[in-house]
């Protein structure tokens, strides 16, 4: 459990039998209520990819995915904490009021990559939060053109994307249980030198490499 606004909330997203109301995953979408230059900059940049000016509008929305079973009554309060009411508006589990669009591309981090924005939001809300960004694109574009845009706006070393859908949470899953082994350092100096240069000896006699 974690504490949110003075109440204790279950944070086990795998427990579908929990009596606590609310979804295992909740998404807060934050968009600008004032002219947002990010969309215009993206539109000009993407049209320069050889798309012949087919993109007519780009809307940029920041997304915060809460990886916890949060009661619905708390979600508007959580949204208020991460929104600047002067410049932004937030909607919970929906995109809110957007102009008509034809495609969406959501970009977020790969599992295990440091997510500073999500981490900061998580500290404010007291839960695990993943940050991502959704681009809503208007224009008659082919599937190949949309993929071309998606490939251009993400760094495959640290990011991933989802076209016309919702990006799954980047949970880290360990498929193997790490094992620790004891190493006897009460050995002659000659053996310590081998450990330092060749590495610790494995049970099969091989060495793990220099320290």
């Amino acid at each position: 459990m974690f504490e949110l606004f003075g109440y204790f909330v279950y944070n086990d997203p795998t427990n579908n039998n929990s009596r606590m109301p609310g979804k295992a995953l909740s998404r807060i979408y934050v968009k600008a209520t004032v002219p947002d230059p990010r969309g215009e900059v993206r539109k000009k940049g993407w049209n320069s990819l050889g798309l012949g000016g087919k993109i007519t509008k780009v809307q940029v929305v920041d997304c915060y995915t809460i990886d916890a079973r949060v009661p619905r009554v708390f979600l508007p309060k959580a949204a208020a904490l991460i929104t600047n009411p002067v410049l932004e508006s937030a909607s919970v589990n929906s995109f809110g009021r957007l102009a008509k669009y034809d495609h969406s591309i959501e970009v977020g981090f790969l599992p295990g990559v440091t997510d500073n924005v999500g981490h900061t939001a998580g500290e404010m809300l007291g839960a695990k939060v993943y940050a991502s960004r959704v681009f809503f694109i208007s224009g008659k574009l082919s599937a190949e053109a949309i993929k071309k845009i998606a490939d251009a706006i993400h760094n495959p070393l640290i990011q991933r994307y989802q076209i016309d859908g919702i990006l799954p949470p980047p949970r880290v899953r360990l498929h193997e249980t790490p094992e620790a082994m004891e190493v006897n350092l009460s050995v002659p100096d000659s053996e310590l030198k081998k450990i330092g240069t060749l590495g610790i000896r494995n049970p099969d006699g091989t060495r793990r490499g220099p320290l």
Side-chain angles (χ1 to χ4, degrees):
M1 293 189 297
F2 65 89
E3 188 175 358
L4 179 65
F5 304 113
Y7 293 84
F8 287 101
V9 179
Y10 293 99
N11 65 340
D12 181 6
T14 63
N15 181 12
N16 294 323
N17 297 319
S18 171
R19 296 182 180 180
M20 177 65 69
K23 294 184 177 181
L25 283 174
S26 298
R27 291 165 66 90
I28 298 174
Y29 297 95
V30 178
K31 63 186 183 72
T33 54
V34 297
D36 187 355
R38 296 180 300 175
E40 191 63 25
V41 170
R42 292 291 187 178
K43 186 184 78 171
K44 291 180 180 179
W46 296 344
N47 275 329
S48 68
L49 294 175
L51 302 179
K54 294 180 179 179
I55 300 175
T56 59
K57 187 179 182 64
V58 176
Q59 301 170 86
V60 183
V61 176
D62 295 318
C63 176
Y64 300 87
T65 301
I66 305 175
D67 194 359
R69 190 173 293 278
V70 180
R72 295 182 182 89
V73 67
F74 293 134
L75 290 175
K77 298 179 180 179
L81 280 177
I82 57 177
T83 305
N84 182 341
V86 178
L87 305 174
E88 300 170 324
S89 65
S91 56
V92 176
N93 292 324
S94 71
F95 296 141
R97 298 182 63 182
L98 288 172
K100 184 179 179 180
Y101 65 93
D102 297 293
H103 298 280
S104 68
I105 302 174
E106 182 174 355
V107 178
F109 287 110
L110 290 167
V113 176
T114 301
D115 180 357
N116 290 323
V117 174
H119 180 72
T120 300
E123 287 187 333
M124 296 171 63
L125 302 181
K128 183 66 177 178
V129 176
Y130 309 108
S132 59
R133 183 162 289 168
V134 189
F135 302 90
F136 297 94
I137 305 169
S138 302
K140 295 182 179 180
L141 299 167
S142 65
E144 181 182 359
I146 290 296
K147 187 177 185 306
K148 188 175 184 180
I149 293 172
D151 289 337
I153 62 174
H154 89 291
N155 181 346
L157 296 178
I158 61 172
Q159 294 175 312
R160 62 206 175 116
Y161 64 81
Q162 179 72 43
I163 296 175
D164 294 333
I166 293 177
L167 197 65
R171 296 180 181 133
V172 176
R173 301 185 184 278
L174 300 178
H175 301 286
E176 297 182 1
T177 302
E179 297 182 0
M181 62 178 292
E182 293 185 1
V183 178
N184 181 19
L185 297 180
S186 298
V187 294
D189 291 344
S190 58
E191 179 62 22
L192 289 176
K193 288 181 180 179
K194 285 185 179 180
I195 293 175
T197 56
L198 302 177
I200 296 170
R201 185 188 297 273
N202 292 313
D204 62 359
T206 60
R207 298 276 183 171
R208 299 192 177 190
L211 298 177

